[in-house]
Amino acid sequence: MTYQAYTTVEKGRTARWLVTCDHATNTVPDSVNGGSLGLTPEDMARHIAYDPGAAGVAARLAEKLNGPFVHTNFSRLVIDPNRGEDDPTLVMRLYDGSVIPANRDVDEAEVERRLNAFWRLYHGEVARLVARRPDTVYLAIHSFAPRLRGRDNRPWQIGILHGADDRLARPLIDRLNQEPDLFVGENEPYGGHLEGDAVDRHAIANSLPNVLIELRNDVIATEEDQIAWADRLAPIMEEALVEAGL
């Protein structure tokens, strides 16, 4: 089977929502150092290589919202689709204490090759899906580690990330804060969007309502967990969109 940089589920999905998962998999295509970055299986299973659990949540959430779903088929360590083309962390050489051997000596030519082979193909597909209707609502799903090496525990089960455009994020945060069992982080465990990241590139640049959801990966570790979170979040997302008046 020919390698495809992304996967899209679109047929019959007619709603405004577009659900993306930038860090869906830890796959290293054969065209990159023979399919290995030189890391141990243990490192490749960590958050440094992908967002564990995020793809399962995103797939189910898109189904419940009746919106298209697109996700990457390459590890963020190959090239990070949630970074701008000129971002110095586009190809990581060191991440959370682990050196990435196959990236240590990557030159500009190899970065350009990976941009063409993976990054630009994925973003081209996202752009196509964004353009399918003028009132698209952009929903990005990610996950985060409960703790980075040498850092404090992260207590939030869910984080809502946004930049200056918080039209959807604000009512979503307010609605989630009504859930008594949830500790909700606003722009946690990271700050809002980076210039040139996927949301900036596709949603903010087009003035589209948007939000990025981060789920702590231990709460979405199993398929059952992923389905439960997606089923819980879907009606909340719809309520937040109505409350936002968008």
Side-chain angles (χ1 to χ4, degrees):
M1 180 180 293
T2 303
Y3 173 79
Q4 180 82 9
Y6 59 83
T7 295
T8 302
V9 181
E10 179 184 15
K11 186 176 181 179
R13 306 278 180 93
T14 58
R16 298 174 60 189
W17 297 96
L18 169 61
V19 181
T20 68
C21 189
D22 299 329
H23 300 146
T25 177
N26 58 1
T27 299
V28 180
D30 289 342
S31 62
V32 178
N33 201 46
S36 171
L37 296 172
L39 290 168
T40 64
E42 290 75 21
D43 263 340
M44 289 302 297
R46 296 175 60 214
H47 67 282
I48 65 171
Y50 75 125
D51 284 354
V57 175
R60 176 72 169 189
L61 193 50
E63 178 184 358
K64 299 290 286 188
L65 294 171
N66 193 34
F69 170 46
V70 60
H71 67 80
T72 55
N73 291 330
F74 54 91
S75 170
R76 68 194 299 173
L77 294 179
V78 171
I79 192 162
D80 195 332
N82 199 35
R83 296 291 185 272
E85 290 195 31
D86 58 352
D87 192 298
T89 64
L90 181 66
V91 177
M92 293 290 282
R93 292 163 172 80
L94 173 68
Y95 196 173
D96 193 23
S98 293
V99 173
I100 296 87
N103 290 348
R104 191 164 43 198
D105 298 318
V106 165
D107 59 17
E108 291 184 10
E110 175 60 10
V111 172
E112 183 68 16
R113 190 189 72 80
R114 294 187 193 182
L115 280 166
N116 285 326
F118 312 113
W119 193 100
R120 290 174 181 144
L121 294 177
Y122 172 67
H123 282 289
E125 178 67 354
V126 176
R128 183 189 71 80
L129 292 166
V130 163
R132 81 194 193 287
R133 52 185 295 172
D135 60 348
T136 293
V137 181
Y138 193 100
L139 173 57
I141 303 297
H142 291 253
S143 72
F144 64 94
R147 181 179 181 179
L148 296 181
R149 289 175 173 172
R151 304 288 185 89
D152 293 335
N153 290 329
R154 293 162 158 177
W156 318 277
Q157 298 107 321
I158 186 169
I160 306 301
L161 274 60
H162 64 85
D165 180 4
D166 63 353
R167 292 175 293 166
L168 180 55
R170 181 57 49 205
L172 177 58
I173 292 166
D174 292 344
R175 175 62 183 81
L176 288 168
N177 279 328
Q178 296 174 24
E179 302 288 301
D181 61 324
L182 293 186
F183 189 4
V184 182
E186 179 174 357
N187 284 328
E188 298 287 0
Y190 321 107
H193 302 306
L194 297 170
E195 184 176 349
D197 71 6
V199 174
D200 183 48
R201 181 182 182 88
H202 297 289
I204 295 174
N206 293 301
S207 300
L208 298 176
N210 65 87
V211 70
L212 189 153
I213 294 179
E214 288 270 4
L215 290 160
R216 204 177 66 213
N217 64 35
D218 62 328
V219 304
I220 53 171
T222 68
E223 182 179 1
E224 182 179 29
D225 294 334
Q226 294 156 24
I227 290 172
W229 268 95
D231 289 353
R232 181 179 189 177
L233 285 172
I236 293 175
M237 298 305 304
E238 297 279 27
E239 290 171 28
L241 186 60
V242 170
E243 182 66 25
L246 296 167

